[in-house]
Amino acid sequence: MLSPARTDPPSGPGSSQGPHRGGSDGAATPASPARGPRTAAGLLGLLTVLAAVAFPLAPVQQPVVAYSWTATDGPTAIPLLPYQPVELTARTTCATVRDAPAGQVLLSTVPLRADPAAEPLQGLRLTAEDGRLRVASTGVDLGAVEVPAGGCELSVVSGTARTSVLVDGTPVLVREGDVRPNVAGAFSEAAAGVDVALQADTRFATTISPLKTAIGVVGVLALLGALLALRAADRAVTPAVRLLPRRWWRPRPVDAAVTAGLALWWAVGAVTVDDGFIAGIVRSAGSNGFIGNAYRWLNAPEAPFSWFYALYQAWSLVSTSAPWMRVPSTVLGLLTWWLLSRLVVPRLGRFATRPSTPWLAALAFATWWVPFGLGLRPEPWVAVGALAVFVAVERAVATSRVLPLAVGLVLAGATTAVTPGGLLAFTPFVAAALPLLRLLRRRRDLHVLPLVAALVAAPAAAMFLMVPDQSLAGMLEAVRVRAVIGGGEPWYAEFERYAHLLEPESFQGAIGRRAAVLVTLLAAAGVLWALPRARAGIAAGPARRLVVGLLLSVATLTLSPTKWTQHFGDLGGYGAAVLVLGAVAWSAAPLRGAPRTLAAGWAGATAVAAVVVAGYNTWPTVGAWFDPTFSTVVPQLAGVPAPTIVLVLGGAVVAGLLGRWAWHRASGPGHGGADTAAPRRLPAPATIVAVLLVGVLVLQVGGLVRVAVAHRDSYTLAADTAATIAGERCGLQARLSAETDPAAGLLPIATGDPTRHVLPVDVGGRTLPGLAVAGRTTTPWFVLDAEQRSQALPVVVTTSGSTRPGDALLLEFGDGDRVLEQRRLDAVSDVPRDVRELAPPGADTVRLTIDAPVSGGRPGAVVSLPRVPRLTPMSQVLPAGSTAILDWPVAFLFPCLTPAPLPPGSAPLPAWRVGPPAEDTAAGITYRPRTGGPFAAPRQLITERRMATYLTGDPLRDAAQLYRWIPIGPLAVARPTTTDRTVAGWHRDGHARVPEVEGVG
């Protein structure tokens, strides 16, 4: 076990802590012979390294998916993913080309008339031109081929190296380079005489082969053997120590409080912005056959950072409900708390025995876990892994044993395989470099080569987690695709993460995130400054290593390819421990005798607290619904912004301390001592910071609890949790109704003639009567529905286009023909958008009034006539188990719907899509070729019909959009022929090309 290290002034670096039985870092280790364990550790370590190197190179099983088509099949959907086939061969006869009228398209691999709203894909097009065949592929005109007289066969063969046009097998036109076409289907204006055969690109849809399995098993067993050999070597030369502290299992009141807090947060806590993304990935893994990015990057595998997705995928087989999927992160929170309270804090010094320390640790833990720890993102895994590595390193330093060092390296490798930010798990080794080097030099019983082999094998074993079913070539291609498409930032753009942290009105800079990060950085600086001056029972060696490790971890975040503040959650375990150290160091009694130091502490605490409370208490997506307390304004007290109050009060205290010190110094020599000490009633900086953290914690949790209670009849995460426990597991879908037919809700005219100058207005795939926002027009009064008069449902109009300066579009509510209230409407998008307004009390009619300048051009906007939404429960439109595309912003909230599968080398043509609110355009990456959207090819084949949804208890909220996918015409669906082959780990069939991003040829 790890006991508290010595807190006496050190005589040299690293000598302030000792093993459980009273030794020290510098204690000599006997050089007892340990040839057997030493040799075994070296050989098994070498075998592990060799297996780790061979593992990604080992063969994998890859499906071979082939499609064939003839013109007699008619228009056929073959949406490929990646978009280009490995090889395509198109054939026709010379007679077919000669007999075709000029301009007739004999073959196109994208629709001849696709939906204009879909982003285009460039395919292969064969066109007849007066006895010639013109060939164009992926937007490149390859030329025209003269058709010889007589009977002959024309073929076009397109592969990764070249595209050729052949006449009876003889090349007559060759274009070198990769100009393979994108394929969404096969279409022809000819009734017969054309056929196509192609092989889909399945490079990512690989599975582990028997040989690769054997290599992995050998490598894991060799690693376990090497660790056992190191254990035997350690036991031969070091005294026995406990594995865990005494009474580690005994619960305490603080443990009950932390567990209850985690349970409450599990029930009411907000989602992260990526919970839907990860939920979609893990739920699609079953149909994919691998952990692929189901929303972009050509569905490339998440390797080498995917093993924790596999655990989530297995977990989701029990249930996909939001509460169930949040259980693992809550368990990780308990594990982090156990490591922090049982192993880390006791190692940091004698202060751990104080009754207040566990409660201080609980506050520090909650400060980090509440804003960062709950959800499906990888940060909780990294937080646990990094803290466990610190414990392993400290155990190695304290006991002079090598096994904990090797175990720590295994954990660091596994943590790195979770996410790029997991690299910070190696920072404890850097922070403890000198003590660890002394340890290795003392272990003369282990020769250099066996020791190096065993210690290299430990992190190398992470390779077994990184590419369990992928080949080396597949993983490298996935990395290349991500780099080509982009979305990441270079290391020197790290400042953007801190700019986001200080961004007002954004969940990236929410008050909870600011509190955890900024107060911890202040604590780290304070600990490093205070250690030589005020020990307060802190063990200098472990404390210094902890703080240095945290700062190195912060620096390591620069290597993360994205710069979001959520990544600070990787520091959750480290950060909580440093917060505890900072609180202890800056609450010490000696500070009272150093008024300038106390003033500096108060100044730092004041500045950080003012910046913290300038953040909003806001959360992403559904967490921001119903406006949690202070989610739309800066926290205030009696109408005064909290940052101003903090700055004024804190500044006054600092000024008073400095003024008091200056007054006594001005008294001359001999007038000081006790007179300059700070008043005992003045709280230490740590106390003020603790009050701040408690307040921020209460605001975050209490704000969502208040929302949960006030809106228990609508959708909140708390309502979802309660419904799931009660047996209703369909999440948001159970609280939504869909407007399946907007025309059914058009309001009747109360009095007057029908509206003149009516024109059709697109309301999302359907048209309703409406008006152009031009000239001066007033519609007749329309009678409000009974549910509109009771404010159960809103009045709805749909706008399209953008109103211009000077345009006035008004919705007028009336009592009969008397105007009660006018509301100005704005059109802001070319995409149809619904505008929802609740009628004021007493209103029973409504009308539209337009006053806009008339210009010679097209009107800036159009608006539909008012209607009442006629609603059908969404669970009736899409019963549980229905298949749909679940866009990533909302995928976490619809557990009863089945994500559209992505079989090897292709994408489906589902009937439904569930999208985010209309104003959220982030889901577009899934349908955009330049981002590698998996459904970019299917999108070419359909038109979308939008169905607005309405949330129970909040009919004005656009919670989600439902889309019906309607094929552009009669479409057959091609059935592939699938076989399997074994390919080497380095095998690849060219590159998967990303349209509009990578050049052709």
Side-chain angles (χ1 to χ4, degrees):
M1 64 165 284
L2 292 181
S3 59
R6 292 205 308 264
T7 55
D8 299 325
S11 58
S15 63
S16 63
Q17 63 284 336
H20 178 55
R21 294 187 179 271
S24 67
D25 288 354
T29 301
S32 301
R35 182 171 181 177
R38 178 182 67 210
T39 304
L43 292 177
L44 292 172
L46 180 60
L47 180 58
T48 303
V49 172
L50 292 176
V53 172
F55 193 68
L57 298 172
V60 291
Q61 300 293 119
Q62 180 181 351
V64 179
V65 178
Y67 291 90
S68 61
W69 172 87
T70 67
T72 56
D73 296 333
T76 301
I78 316 175
L80 296 188
L81 182 67
Y83 313 131
Q84 306 89 31
V86 173
E87 186 175 77
L88 178 146
T89 301
R91 295 184 179 88
T92 187
T93 65
C94 295
T96 300
V97 176
R98 284 194 301 266
D99 295 343
Q104 185 180 68
V105 177
L106 300 180
L107 173 67
S108 176
T109 59
V110 295
L112 301 178
R113 286 166 289 278
D115 182 2
E119 296 201 17
L121 274 175
Q122 300 292 337
L124 175 68
R125 177 167 287 214
L126 307 183
T127 308
E129 286 187 353
D130 296 324
R132 297 190 305 169
L133 180 68
R134 180 162 296 280
V135 181
S137 182
T138 192
V140 177
D141 185 5
L142 303 184
V145 175
E146 292 286 347
V147 177
C152 58
E153 181 183 79
L154 288 164
S155 58
V156 178
V157 180
S158 185
T160 58
R162 68 187 57 84
T163 295
S164 306
V165 181
L166 303 93
V167 177
D168 286 337
T170 302
V172 294
L173 178 64
V174 177
R175 171 64 183 260
E176 298 292 335
D178 185 0
V179 290
R180 290 172 297 157
N182 302 302
V183 177
F187 307 87
S188 177
E189 293 178 339
V194 184
D195 63 78
V196 172
L198 62 86
Q199 179 183 330
D201 188 346
T202 59
R203 72 182 73 216
F204 299 137
T206 54
T207 55
I208 193 167
S209 67
L211 178 56
K212 185 166 185 170
T213 301
I215 293 173
V217 170
V218 169
V220 171
L221 292 178
L223 174 66
L224 293 176
L227 295 178
L228 290 174
L230 290 178
R231 178 175 180 269
D234 284 340
R235 296 184 70 175
V237 297
T238 59
V241 294
R242 291 178 58 89
L243 179 62
L244 295 172
R246 290 184 177 87
R247 296 184 296 277
W248 63 268
W249 50 269
R250 181 174 296 177
R252 303 169 296 180
V254 68
D255 298 323
V258 169
T259 303
L262 284 172
L264 175 63
W265 192 237
W266 165 78
V268 307
V271 300
T272 75
V273 72
D274 287 327
D275 282 350
F277 212 115
I278 297 172
I281 288 174
V282 301
R283 293 185 63 194
S284 298
S287 62
N288 284 2
F290 65 99
I291 304 294
N293 190 303
Y295 293 110
R296 57 177 175 174
W297 294 337
L298 302 176
N299 194 32
E302 290 292 295
F305 309 110
S306 62
W307 70 265
F308 87 103
Y309 289 116
L311 296 182
Y312 275 137
Q313 196 269 333
W315 186 259
S316 70
L317 297 179
V318 178
S319 172
T320 55
S321 66
W324 176 256
M325 294 300 294
R326 302 206 301 179
V327 168
S329 62
T330 303
V331 173
L332 289 171
L334 288 171
L335 181 55
T336 303
W337 167 248
W338 185 85
L339 289 171
L340 179 69
S341 62
R342 297 304 197 274
L343 300 178
V344 176
V345 172
R347 175 65 176 162
L348 298 178
R350 294 193 309 268
F351 73 86
T353 60
R354 301 173 188 169
S356 61
T357 299
W359 295 99
L360 185 60
L363 175 60
F365 166 76
T367 295
W368 275 93
W369 206 260
V370 165
F372 293 113
L374 183 64
L376 305 189
R377 282 189 55 86
E379 282 79 20
W381 300 82
V382 176
V384 170
L387 203 60
V389 171
F390 174 78
V391 170
V393 169
E394 287 300 310
R395 185 177 179 87
V397 170
T399 62
S400 295
R401 292 191 165 205
V402 178
L403 177 60
L405 180 60
V407 170
L409 287 168
V410 171
L411 293 173
T415 305
T416 302
V418 169
T419 180
L423 190 64
L424 62 81
F426 283 98
T427 59
F429 301 100
V430 180
L434 289 178
L436 291 178
L437 289 174
R438 293 192 189 100
L439 161 63
L440 297 177
R441 287 177 62 89
R442 289 197 303 270
R443 290 300 300 269
R444 294 186 297 274
D445 58 306
L446 294 173
H447 292 179
V448 173
L449 290 181
L451 187 60
V452 169
L455 295 183
V456 170
M463 190 59 68
F464 304 131
L465 296 173
M466 290 181 171
V467 284
D469 54 4
Q470 289 293 319
S471 65
L472 176 64
M475 181 189 71
L476 294 178
E477 181 66 7
V479 172
R480 188 196 72 83
V481 167
R482 290 194 286 267
V484 166
I485 293 175
E489 298 288 345
W491 67 267
Y492 48 81
E494 180 64 12
F495 70 90
E496 292 185 6
R497 194 186 315 276
Y498 297 89
H500 288 313
L501 186 66
L502 300 178
E503 186 178 349
E505 304 181 26
S506 168
F507 70 87
Q508 294 281 354
I511 189 170
R513 298 189 183 189
R514 292 189 184 194
V517 176
L518 298 181
V519 174
T520 299
L521 292 177
L522 176 67
V527 169
L528 292 179
W529 187 91
L531 275 179
R533 297 168 177 83
R535 285 292 174 79
I538 297 175
R544 188 177 295 112
R545 289 192 289 270
L546 178 72
V547 175
V548 170
L550 171 78
L551 297 177
L552 289 174
S553 297
V554 171
T556 303
L557 287 181
T558 61
L559 303 178
S560 178
T562 52
K563 306 301 178 185
W564 305 119
T565 59
Q566 184 69 38
H567 297 140
F568 282 123
D570 292 337
L571 310 173
Y574 253 138
V578 170
L579 271 181
V580 174
L581 278 180
V584 173
W586 284 86
S587 60
L591 290 178
R592 297 193 179 281
R596 286 182 299 173
T597 301
L598 188 60
W602 262 88
T606 298
V608 168
V611 176
V612 167
V613 297
Y616 287 35
N617 179 35
T618 187
W619 303 92
T621 62
V622 297
W625 290 4
F626 308 114
D627 297 335
T629 308
F630 293 130
S631 63
T632 57
V633 295
V634 170
Q636 299 178 358
L637 195 62
V640 180
T644 302
I645 297 173
V646 169
L647 206 58
V648 170
L649 294 181
V653 172
V654 172
L657 286 171
L658 293 178
R660 192 171 188 273
W661 170 81
W663 175 262
H664 288 289
R665 289 278 294 180
S667 301
H671 294 80
D675 290 338
T676 63
R680 288 188 173 276
R681 287 175 295 180
L682 180 67
T687 304
I688 301 304
V689 170
V691 171
L692 168 70
L693 297 182
V694 169
V696 170
L697 193 61
V698 169
L699 179 61
Q700 293 176 97
V701 179
L704 290 180
V705 169
R706 179 190 65 79
V707 166
V709 173
H711 298 276
R712 55 189 175 274
D713 295 330
S714 188
Y715 182 84
T716 64
L717 269 300
D720 194 349
T721 302
T724 301
I725 293 173
E728 170 52 67
R729 62 179 189 87
C730 287
L732 179 58
Q733 183 182 2
R735 305 289 180 124
L736 291 179
S737 296
E739 185 186 26
T740 56
D741 183 7
L746 287 173
L747 296 178
I749 296 175
T751 57
D753 298 327
T755 305
R756 293 175 296 175
H757 309 300
V758 169
L759 52 80
V761 174
D762 181 13
V763 295
R766 296 188 182 188
T767 59
L768 291 182
L771 302 170
V773 183
R776 293 184 176 179
T777 303
T778 300
T779 68
W781 288 103
F782 296 94
V783 180
L784 292 177
D785 187 83
E787 289 189 285
Q788 290 175 319
R789 293 195 296 271
S790 66
Q791 297 189 326
L793 288 177
V795 174
V796 184
V797 296
T798 301
T799 64
S800 182
S802 299
T803 49
R804 301 161 298 188
D807 289 353
L809 173 59
L810 303 175
L811 190 65
E812 295 183 338
F813 292 95
D815 178 7
D817 57 1
R818 181 172 61 90
V819 176
L820 294 179
E821 186 175 333
Q822 286 185 336
R823 296 180 189 171
R824 188 181 185 92
L825 308 182
D826 291 315
V828 295
S829 173
D830 290 336
V831 178
R833 296 283 177 91
D834 290 341
V835 179
R836 307 177 186 184
E837 295 285 342
L838 289 179
D844 57 14
T845 56
V846 66
R847 70 181 181 183
L848 285 169
T849 297
I850 296 171
D851 185 359
V854 178
S855 62
R858 183 172 176 268
V862 293
V863 58
S864 71
L865 297 182
R867 67 183 187 273
V868 58
R870 300 300 183 191
L871 303 179
T872 304
M874 187 174 174
S875 57
Q876 294 181 16
V877 181
L878 270 77
S882 299
T883 298
I885 302 173
L886 304 179
D887 284 349
W888 71 264
V890 296
F892 188 53
L893 306 176
F894 291 89
C896 285
L897 298 180
T898 302
L902 291 169
S906 65
L909 204 62
W912 296 95
R913 171 195 166 199
V914 180
E919 64 182 12
D920 186 351
T921 61
I925 59 173
T926 305
Y927 313 95
R928 194 174 297 137
R930 64 177 179 271
T931 56
F935 289 94
R939 183 64 184 86
Q940 308 293 308
L941 306 173
I942 60 93
T943 58
E944 285 189 333
R945 178 178 295 171
R946 181 180 65 93
M947 298 181 185
T949 64
Y950 289 76
L951 178 63
T952 301
D954 190 5
L956 296 184
R957 183 173 303 282
D958 180 8
Q961 296 280 318
L962 181 61
Y963 299 90
R964 177 76 175 179
W965 272 27
I966 303 171
I968 54 177
L971 282 177
V973 177
R975 304 297 178 188
T977 300
T978 303
T979 57
D980 287 312
R981 65 173 177 169
T982 300
V983 297
W986 57 85
H987 171 82
R988 69 178 177 89
D989 296 308
H991 290 301
R993 192 176 65 250
V994 182
E996 305 179 42
V997 177
E998 295 185 277
V1000 177

